[in-house]
Amino acid sequence: MNRRQFVSKSLVAAGTALLPSRGSAAGIIPTPNRFADEIAPSEITEARFPKDFLWGLATASYQVEGAWNEDGKGESIWDRFAHTVGKVKGGATGDTACDQYHLYPQDIAMMKSLNQKSYRFSISWPRIQPTGVGEANQKGLDHYGRLVDALLEAGIRPFCTLYHWDLPQALEDRGGWPNRDLAGYFADYAGILAKSLGDRITVWAPFNMPWSFTYLGYGVGVFPPGRAKYDDFLKAAHTVNLAQGQAFRAIKAASSKATVGSAYGMAPAYPKTDSEADRAAADRYHAMNNVYFLETAINGRYPKAFVGEIPYKAMGFQPGDDRIMKVPLDWIGFHYYTRRIVSDASGASHPGSGGSFGTEIEDTSGGRDPYTQFSAVMPTEGPLTDAGLEIWPHGIYDLVTRISREYNHPIIEITESGCGYLDTPYEKNGGHVPDTRRIDFFRSELAELARAISDGANVRAFHAWSLLDNFEWADGYTERYGLTYVDYRDQKRTVKDSGLWYAKVAATNQLARFSSK
Ligand code: FCB
């Protein structure tokens, strides 16, 4: 199913009630929904952030680095997937991507000129251990050492994600994440990194969006390795939970300065109706999609994501695993892009028909699977970005305040948020990229974030996705999330108007209107 079909399908599935009603029609919970245009201009201009708030940008190794086979790097599952005909739109690959492997000094200089204080990047595991086990590849370590030094030199905090989806192919050949041995291999890798870079990096997140890569890769097969068995997802997710705990300990053991948190993908879930069944379904969504890897860390147990018993056997859960998973994360990081409307699907036949939507996948009918038995759709009440995601600024307020409440007021980092728009440089405007829709997106979203902070949430950083337009996974180069435009023919970077605006936000902690002066 392509995007267009999915959008129209989810529109149908969401029901006409969702469309004209702006959330108030009969049967829909009257949550305090606020459209971007319902946020008063004064709320935006008066929004304030803490004095030492960290404004930052994010990327991921496979999406920006290129140099896919240089300096001893091994093959990753994304190399294999993108090199397989028919997997990525337009036959695109990350072979060159934004060539950040070579161009990082210029990218860091650009971030410095944009007043950035934090750069969230990821390390490519197969650069460090080409087959995922054994001796470290010194050239790989040296590369990241230089990157980190250059960041520190520019006054930018290096925020390191250990795994943003580029598993060494050799480990997939050993069974991939459903094989619990990977938890130990991952901890070894984490220890190597912390030993080599832990004198300079203090902020570590083991996994980017663990639900997404386990579910999309093993549960439904739209991401590598392209396997589609729900039990494989359950096993993969359990290994990742173990790996998170073991990596936490390995990092701490190697670096006394280390703080370890997370980079989870989250979407606030609203029940479709106020029925008890839909409310319970929305809670299962929250448990499965938002806190499945957080509850295990903080409380050492799986959250109530399932109808009925937790399927320990299918997961491969062994006695003592709760103690391995449980680690006191120093801070909690998560992304916000869009929201979900969730309904109970316990009466539906399974499996539901899934819709693939960038890094998002949802059921548009039936239930997602026999265990969680809900149906989740991305509504289309708010405007859609060019990448097809609904804009719902209020969602970040709900998410941040909920996580604050449920996890005893943790330090929070927003690890990603952004929007895909296809604006290009405009010659008549001196080559500027007038991406005003992106500026509007961030202004209203950040006003909602400021409100969550003034209501007491302890948010210390925000990372816009992304520093650069880049390889957008199975969508190849058809989406542009960057605050900087990349011309892939010659790698020329042009800071978009949103990037110039964001630089002012970073300098002033205020969400002023954009002016090119
Ligand atoms: C997030 C991913 C990131 C990028 C953005 C658009 O889900 O973490 O790599 O693809 O979506």
Side-chain angles (χ1 to χ4, degrees):
M1 177 161 51
N2 67 30
R3 239 150 228 278
R4 202 175 293 277
Q5 288 165 326
F6 175 68
V7 169
S8 55
K9 265 193 111 182
S10 53
L11 211 100
V12 172
T16 45
L18 276 176
L19 293 172
S21 67
R22 297 202 151 194
S24 59
I28 294 176
I29 290 241
T31 48
N33 291 340
R34 288 158 35 110
F35 284 78
D37 59 10
E38 285 169 0
I39 298 172
S42 60
E43 280 185 74
I44 299 179
T45 48
E46 284 160 25
R48 293 291 178 271
F49 294 84
K51 197 169 74 15
D52 43 4
F53 196 74
L54 293 164
W55 296 98
L57 290 159
T59 60
S61 50
Y62 188 73
Q63 294 181 275
V64 300
E65 282 181 352
W68 79 280
N69 58 0
E70 278 182 45
D71 289 343
K73 175 181 166 295
E75 186 190 21
S76 79
I77 56 173
W78 269 97
D79 293 317
R80 177 72 62 92
F81 192 75
H83 291 158
T84 307
V85 175
K87 296 295 188 191
V88 176
K89 258 191 208 164
T93 73
D95 289 2
T96 308
C98 309
D99 199 21
Q100 193 182 70
Y101 189 74
H102 300 111
L103 300 180
Y104 72 88
Q106 122 182 17
D107 286 347
I108 292 172
M110 192 164 72
M111 279 191 279
K112 185 177 178 190
S113 76
L114 297 177
N115 309 316
Q116 296 304 293
K117 287 284 171 288
S118 178
Y119 180 45
R120 176 173 168 253
F121 63 97
S122 80
I123 290 188
S124 160
W125 187 350
R127 281 196 201 286
I128 305 301
Q129 291 174 295
T131 62
V133 294
E135 286 297 287
N137 169 30
Q138 194 55 45
K139 284 191 171 161
L141 287 174
D142 290 347
H143 167 72
Y144 292 107
R146 286 189 296 268
L147 176 91
V148 168
D149 288 344
L151 285 168
L152 292 171
E153 175 81 8
I156 299 172
R157 178 189 74 161
F159 174 135
C160 175
T161 308
L162 279 75
Y163 184 86
H164 200 126
W165 306 353
D166 37 3
L167 184 72
Q169 179 63 41
L171 289 185
E172 181 51 38
D173 297 342
R174 294 188 184 204
W177 286 108
N179 172 3
R180 73 182 268 142
D181 292 347
L182 263 71
Y185 301 147
F186 185 73
D188 293 343
Y189 161 62
I192 291 171
L193 293 185
K195 203 164 149 220
S196 157
L197 302 167
D199 55 336
R200 288 156 286 166
I201 297 179
T202 58
V203 179
W204 305 85
F207 290 104
N208 178 71
M209 297 178 84
W211 178 83
S212 299
F213 76 81
T214 50
Y215 187 71
L216 301 183
Y218 297 93
V220 290
V222 297
F223 273 10
R227 285 152 63 175
K229 246 174 88 190
Y230 196 77
D231 283 6
D232 280 349
F233 155 67
L234 286 175
K235 285 198 178 64
H238 186 54
T239 307
V240 168
N241 265 316
L242 298 171
Q244 177 176 251
Q246 289 180 226
F248 177 98
R249 293 184 188 91
I251 294 168
K252 294 274 184 175
S255 163
S256 57
K257 297 186 192 166
T259 69
V260 182
S262 62
Y264 303 131
M266 292 195 188
Y270 305 95
K272 184 172 181 188
T273 74
D274 58 7
S275 73
E276 210 172 290
D278 283 353
R279 284 176 182 277
D283 284 344
R284 292 198 295 284
Y285 178 95
H286 181 67
M288 172 50 76
N289 285 65
N290 295 345
V291 301
Y292 199 71
F293 301 84
L294 177 56
E295 187 62 17
T296 43
I298 303 293
N299 293 317
R301 60 171 184 237
Y302 276 98
K304 294 196 177 68
F306 307 98
V307 170
E309 296 301 303
I310 295 175
Y312 288 115
K313 193 154 177 265
M315 290 174 175
F317 193 97
Q318 294 178 8
D321 283 357
D322 45 343
R323 286 196 299 278
I324 299 175
M325 300 189 301
K326 188 171 177 184
V327 281
L329 297 179
D330 296 295
W331 45 271
I332 296 176
F334 54 88
H335 317 341
Y336 173 64
Y337 283 92
T338 189
R339 65 168 177 154
R340 293 285 178 270
I341 301 289
V342 183
S343 55
D344 179 51
S346 51
S349 56
H350 299 284
S353 57
S356 159
F357 206 59
T359 54
E360 315 276 334
I361 189 163
E362 293 307 350
D363 301 302
T364 53
S365 65
R368 186 190 273 168
D369 58 73
Y371 294 91
T372 56
Q373 299 187 16
F374 58 70
S375 168
V377 299
M378 184 200 73
T380 50
E381 269 181 286
L384 302 184
T385 65
D386 287 352
L389 297 189
E390 189 207 33
I391 300 173
W392 199 258
H394 183 63
I396 198 164
Y397 178 90
D398 286 343
L399 199 53
V400 164
T401 50
R402 181 167 186 176
I403 295 298
S404 291
R405 252 192 334 268
E406 290 179 351
Y407 290 93
N408 195 21
H409 242 68
I411 296 169
I412 290 176
E413 299 226 359
I414 303 301
T415 34
E416 282 181 26
S417 186
C419 48
Y421 286 115
L422 295 169
D423 306 279
T424 55
Y426 183 48
E427 251 177 66
K428 288 187 192 151
N429 188 21
H432 273 244
V433 184
D435 58 338
T436 46
R437 293 171 298 175
R438 181 172 285 104
I439 297 174
D440 290 344
F441 171 95
F442 280 122
R443 288 186 87 214
S444 42
E445 184 198 29
L446 287 167
E448 290 287 301
L449 181 62
R451 206 157 64 82
I453 294 171
S454 69
D455 285 353
N458 189 6
V459 185
R460 78 171 175 203
F462 179 88
H463 300 85
W465 183 271
S466 174
L467 165 65
L468 302 164
D469 291 337
N470 60 50
F471 177 88
E472 183 49 35
W473 308 116
D475 290 312
Y477 296 100
T478 63
E479 293 179 357
R480 289 181 177 272
Y481 274 87
L483 277 69
T484 303
Y485 182 87
V486 177
D487 187 330
Y488 296 105
R489 294 167 299 191
D490 59 5
Q491 293 296 345
K492 180 168 185 260
R493 275 85 157 126
T494 305
V495 178
K496 299 179 189 178
D497 283 357
S498 60
L500 300 173
W501 170 81
Y502 193 58
K504 288 205 177 128
V505 173
T508 59
N509 269 353
Q510 295 181 21
L511 308 174
R513 269 189 198 296
F514 177 68
S515 114
S516 51
K517 308 266 164 352

